[in-house]
Amino acid sequence: MGKSKVFFYTCNRYALYNWSGEGYHTNVQTGGATAYFYGASGQVPAAHPAMSGSRVDWNPVWSIRNC
């Protein structure tokens, strides 16, 4: 599996295509912005506060809202 870095700058909800397996995320937003990860039916399996990071299983994540 390849490694990539993806940056989401504009506050929006972004669909993820062909993201699978495990990886890492880092939320370096300021002002307390929380990143939300959404599953297939719109549920929020994870929310990550600003200035945090962790390993992520991308298989259940279908979209990300970065603010």
Side-chain angles (χ1 to χ4, degrees):
M1 182 187 316
K3 294 182 181 181
S4 299
K5 288 186 179 184
V6 177
F7 299 91
F8 301 110
Y9 292 103
T10 304
C11 179
N12 204 346
R13 188 166 171 175
Y14 297 90
L16 307 179
Y17 298 100
N18 300 314
W19 287 37
S20 61
E22 289 192 353
Y24 197 81
H25 92 88
T26 304
N27 181 359
V28 294
Q29 299 179 95
T30 59
T34 299
Y36 297 94
F37 294 7
Y38 295 89
S41 62
Q43 77 279 18
V44 180
H48 302 277
M51 305 312 291
S52 70
S54 65
R55 284 201 68 71
V56 175
D57 175 7
W58 294 110
N59 293 318
V61 180
W62 286 49
S63 63
I64 294 175
R65 182 168 184 82
N66 62 330
C67 55

